[in-house]
Each structure stands twice: as C-alpha cells, then as structure tokens.
Amino acid sequence: MARLSVNVNKVATLRNSRGGSEPNVLRAVRVCVAAGAPGITVHPRADERHIRLDDVRVIAEELAPIAFQVELNVEGDPRPDLVALVRELRPAQFTLVPVRPGEITSEAGWPPSSPTEALRELCTELRELGVRSSIFVDPTPAAVDFAASLGADRVELYTEPYARAFERGDDEAQASLATYVVAAKHARTVGLGVNAGHDLDLRNLPLFKALPGLKEVSIGHALMSEALFRGLPEVVRDYLDVLR
C-alpha cells in the first residue's frame, strides 16, 4: 500500500489571505494525523505565499515524537535558506522540486539537462544526515536516469499530465498511465523508490495506485478542496481507503 502524505499548504494559503493564525496549520496537521495520515507534506516557497519556514519548524516539532509513524516531507527548490532548514530539522524526506519564475504551482520536473554537481552534493549530504532524498521528475526514463545520476533515493513522478489525460476519458487515461508504468519500472531497475504527486484526487487515484512499486502519494489541493464540503477527517480517511 502506498503511503498518503497530506500537503497542508492550502491551509496556510487561506490563513495568509486574511492574516492572523486561522485556519491554524498545526491544527490541520493534528486532524490529518488523527485521521490516520502517515505523512505530512509542506512546500515552503521563497515568497512565503503559503507555508512559511516557521510553520515547518512548528510542524516538525509536533511530529518529532511520532516520526516513526508519521513522516514529514519537505518539498522545495535547493535554495540556501530551505537547505539550511532541512539541515536543522532533518525531516524524513526532502523532495527537490525545480521552480520557474512566476509559476503558481509546479509545472514540470527537473529537466535531464539540469546541472548535476550541486544537486549530487546535496543528495550525498542528505544521506549523511539521515534524510531521504527524492527528485521531482517527469515520467520519462531519461528523467529517472537524471535522478539516479544524482545519487537520490527516490523520484517523485509529476502526475498532472496523467490527471489531465484522465479527464479526457479512459483511453487517454490508460495511455498516460502506461508512460508512468514504464518510468516506474525503470526507476526500480536503477534502484530508485517511486513517489508521485500533483493533481491526484479521489477520481483518478484508484487507477493510478496500481503503479508498480508506488511508495507514496503527496496530495494537497484536491484533498483540501473536498474537505471544505465534507470535513478534513472524513476526506483523509477516504484517500486512505482508496490506497488500501
């Protein structure tokens, strides 16, 4: 069974739109954990438009006593302040995600042509710190090979193309999924674990969860959107049921 890591960024987005501390991000984390979520994801961006670095510290402190049960996954670009925070907190996983100027949300994985030296050094350091490294990539063997060349532990496959194909009908969904199967099998061949995330939801996850070797899915926007209408504990449990 793949693990569910709930991305709580959208709770912070709503909080920041008004100022103050409500809705409280830590309360959301506690609700997700109480509902059975085995992972929490945060993606602090440089402009702090949702999760802030101080939020990550508070969440890490909350999860530290139950780190054997609930993993903290920090996502983001390898900018100095975020890398320093990862060194300080040592979360279970650091997912390295490229950032494009002006993007609202992640738009693609790391291009295989990206410079490797700094990323390779960071992956080595993360292993020495006991932090699992994951590289956000498009679902292609070339992108998987790029992640393997860095000495990463896992890849996170960028799933928005699959989500859009799913919306266009079963034939396109199956064709898209086939590309992810190829990438996932290749990842396992080169010794990488497989995570996935971006626009997965209760409709498209039942098909996608059959991906070979899938270890973790990170889901935020769709989960929080549904929770507005049905409540966060119930929706977290729905996602866990799908993954079972």
Side-chain angles (χ1 to χ4, degrees):
M1 171 181 165
R3 294 170 65 94
L4 171 66
S5 189
V6 179
N7 188 318
V8 295
N9 275 22
K10 283 298 186 294
V11 179
T13 302
L14 184 57
R15 175 200 63 190
N16 295 352
S17 70
R18 182 65 180 264
S21 60
E22 296 297 333
N24 188 276
V25 176
L26 187 56
R27 182 181 178 189
V29 168
R30 289 170 176 163
V31 169
C32 292
V33 170
I40 297 293
T41 289
V42 289
H43 185 158
R45 289 179 176 266
D47 62 8
E48 296 196 323
R49 63 178 180 259
H50 34 62
I51 286 289
R52 303 167 182 154
L53 297 185
D54 285 347
D55 292 324
V56 183
R57 288 189 177 91
V58 171
I59 293 169
E61 182 179 358
E62 174 76 13
L63 297 181
I66 54 171
F68 65 94
Q69 177 185 352
V70 181
E71 292 191 347
L72 175 59
N73 171 43
V74 177
E75 296 182 341
D77 54 317
R79 63 184 192 273
D81 62 336
L82 185 54
V83 171
L85 185 69
V86 169
R87 290 187 183 119
E88 172 192 340
L89 300 179
R90 303 192 183 191
Q93 180 172 266
F94 186 19
T95 300
L96 292 160
V97 181
V99 171
R100 296 181 177 182
E103 69 180 14
I104 295 175
T105 186
S106 298
E107 298 176 347
W110 288 94
S113 59
S114 301
T116 59
E117 183 177 357
L119 289 172
R120 186 181 296 112
E121 290 177 357
L122 180 54
C123 287
T124 299
E125 180 183 0
L126 291 172
R127 181 170 290 111
E128 292 171 351
L129 291 172
V131 178
R132 186 170 65 239
S133 59
S134 181
I135 309 296
F136 191 68
V137 298
D138 296 326
T140 67
V144 169
D145 284 338
F146 166 75
S149 75
L150 303 177
D153 298 305
R154 293 187 185 181
V155 289
E156 179 176 332
L157 300 179
Y158 172 55
T159 50
E160 183 179 2
Y162 164 76
R164 300 291 81 78
F166 186 90
E167 294 169 349
R168 295 191 293 268
D170 186 63
D171 288 347
E172 291 205 34
Q174 293 288 348
S176 179
L177 180 63
T179 67
Y180 286 84
V181 170
V182 170
K185 288 182 176 179
H186 186 63
R188 296 173 72 186
T189 298
V190 298
L192 295 174
V194 178
N195 298 342
H198 206 92
D199 282 2
L200 294 174
D201 59 30
L202 289 172
R203 296 179 297 276
N204 59 42
L205 186 58
L207 176 62
F208 191 85
K209 72 174 184 179
L211 195 73
L214 183 62
K215 292 183 176 295
E216 176 185 290
V217 291
S218 176
I219 303 177
H221 182 82
L223 191 153
M224 294 300 173
S225 297
E226 185 68 14
L228 286 174
F229 302 99
R230 295 199 291 118
L232 187 53
E234 180 179 348
V235 175
V236 169
R237 287 192 287 265
D238 283 352
Y239 274 93
L240 292 171
D241 286 344
V242 168
L243 288 170
R244 290 189 188 99

